[in-house]
Amino acid sequence: TRTPVNVTVTGAAGQIGYALLFRIASGHLLGADVPVRLRLLEITPALKAAEGTAMELDDCAFPLLQGIDISDDPNVAFDGANVALLVGARPRTKGMERGDLLEANGGIFKPQGRAINDHAADDVKVLVVGNPANTNALIAQAAAPDVPAERFTSMMRLDHNRALTQLSKKTGTPITEIKRLTIWGNHSATQYPDIFHATVAGKSAAEVVNDEKWLAEDFVPTVAKRGAAIIEARGASSAASAANAAIDHVHTWVNGTAEGDWTSMGIPSDGSYGVPEGLISSFPVTCKDGKYEIVQGLDVNEFSRARIDASVKELEEEREAVRGLGLI
Ligand code: NAX
């Protein structure tokens, strides 16, 4: 029998946690033959709710689930973590300025980064879901100097999946026939979903669509504002789709991208495509053997350049703000 993989999930009692944990336990995160041990981190007042979710996990009798630990101490929850899913965050509430939001999240992600640094397994892979995800990932990464920076990633896969479906609907092509879509930049309304390198049933997506007005005025804003549209419709933010994207992100990172295709991940920039080094920004990446690489050599046209630059500028401003707050 294989040694179980330790998967730490923060914000385990929240709505994404509720959609995520059952899929991890049933083998969708790492594979149908990989046993897992769940380590749940919650704040003290939510421990009881986390225990309730753990009771339901027990009641599923998942063959792969080797145990569940619950804690309100990051040093305990990240102990031996091979995969860390940082979902819990401080949401923006009415009247809150960006500086307040970043500061409140710094209070969460800095100690968690430190705990990962001190207690996680050597091979730890970190995915930050909690918003502002890219900058929260930067804060955690900066607090973990002993962990290779590239292990800290942020979730852009929900945006990527949203873009896939919009393009699939527009072109009447199944999702499986769409390749090489890219999300660039920040997980925010400035993100840029790029179809200029994408293919639809083997043909250039931009040529198949052939409608720059749709691209600029429909596709890009629909993908970028989808989160708000879900809140408007559902009365609550995306949860099952976010959990699904977290599963996809880690599964792809561990098991690889398909030949000839790529995905989108928020990762520390190496300076590629003019994105300042160190910013955690979304890039087109291929994954193999548990490692990712930025897809190099893509032509970036004027339409794309302006939008990538705008999103990267926002990330730089967030980085400046957390620097000013002493969080990185
Ligand atoms: P919920 O409010 O339902 O759950 C969050 C949970 O985190 C709560 O149970 C809370 O007690 C816990 N928590 C708070 N501080 C914590 C800490 N210091 N340690 C451990 N747990 C802590 O939110 P939910 O809908 O689950 O969303 C979670 C986060 O995902 C939010 O920040 C949200 O903005 C973000 N999202 C990110 C997305 C992305 O694509 N990157 C998309 C979906 C989602 O909006």
Side-chain angles (χ1 to χ4, degrees):
T1 54
R2 292 177 65 165
T3 335
V5 175
N6 288 321
V7 181
T8 301
V9 179
T10 78
Q15 52 153 6
I16 294 177
Y18 194 75
L20 180 59
L21 292 167
F22 297 84
R23 295 195 58 198
I24 300 172
S26 62
H28 288 96
L29 187 76
L30 298 165
D33 55 348
V34 184
V36 291
R37 184 170 185 96
L38 284 169
R39 312 192 60 107
L40 313 185
L41 179 68
E42 258 297 351
I43 53 173
T44 317
L47 282 177
K48 190 161 178 233
E51 276 161 24
T53 303
M55 287 162 68
E56 283 201 72
L57 284 161
D58 279 342
D59 293 349
C60 294
F62 287 119
L64 291 173
L65 185 56
Q66 304 264 316
I68 311 170
D69 309 295
I70 308 171
S71 178
D72 56 3
D73 180 351
N75 294 317
V76 174
F78 289 112
D79 190 31
N82 305 106
V83 177
L85 305 175
L86 277 47
V87 178
R90 172 73 163 81
R92 190 173 209 142
T93 40
K94 226 182 166 152
M96 206 177 190
E97 299 292 335
R98 186 174 62 176
D100 303 332
L101 180 73
L102 292 171
E103 190 163 23
N105 279 294
I108 296 173
F109 287 87
K110 201 174 171 178
Q112 290 185 2
R114 172 50 65 179
I116 288 168
N117 188 72
D118 294 348
H119 302 286
D122 287 343
D123 68 348
V124 67
K125 286 180 163 63
V126 183
L127 169 62
V128 177
V129 174
N131 282 320
N134 300 53
T135 296
N136 286 341
L138 184 67
I139 294 168
Q141 181 249 304
D146 302 333
V147 179
E150 73 267 14
R151 305 283 190 76
F152 285 83
T153 67
S154 71
M155 191 165 94
M156 305 299 298
R157 189 60 172 266
L158 180 54
D159 309 294
H160 184 96
N161 288 344
R162 286 167 171 165
L164 276 175
T165 296
Q166 294 305 317
L167 188 57
S168 159
K169 286 188 170 171
K170 170 75 176 174
T171 58
T173 320
I175 300 283
T176 48
E177 290 292 322
I178 302 180
K179 315 275 184 223
R180 303 187 173 204
L181 202 64
T182 307
I183 307 288
W184 298 91
N186 199 2
H187 170 70
S188 77
T190 66
Q191 67 175 263
Y192 171 53
D194 177 357
I195 72 161
F196 287 104
H197 307 285
T199 57
V200 167
K203 299 193 196 79
S204 155
E207 280 168 28
V208 172
V209 168
N210 192 25
D211 185 350
E212 195 158 302
K213 188 170 152 64
W214 174 79
L215 211 56
E217 292 171 22
D218 194 335
F219 176 73
V220 171
T222 297
V223 173
K225 295 179 189 161
R226 185 71 168 178
I230 299 286
I231 294 175
E232 178 65 29
R234 209 172 82 87
S237 57
S238 324
S241 56
N244 178 68
I247 296 275
D248 283 353
H249 176 112
V250 174
H251 191 273
T252 302
W253 188 359
V254 172
N255 295 295
T257 39
E259 193 58 44
D261 200 3
W262 64 63
T263 188
S264 306
M265 289 170 68
I267 57 169
S269 176
D270 62 358
S272 294
Y273 296 103
V275 181
E277 207 174 328
L279 282 183
I280 298 196
S281 186
S282 188
F283 286 96
V285 298
T286 53
C287 301
K288 200 183 174 190
D289 301 329
K291 294 200 168 77
Y292 60 78
E293 256 180 52
I294 297 176
V295 177
Q296 296 294 345
L298 301 176
D299 284 329
V300 177
N301 64 19
E302 232 171 278
F303 183 96
S304 298
R305 190 73 259 171
R307 286 165 174 82
I308 295 170
D309 288 349
S311 195
V312 167
K313 182 163 173 278
E314 183 184 52
L315 284 171
E316 285 188 279
E317 289 164 4
E318 290 183 14
R319 178 163 72 176
E320 275 321 297
V322 295
R323 230 180 229 148
L325 291 163
L327 294 170
I328 60 168

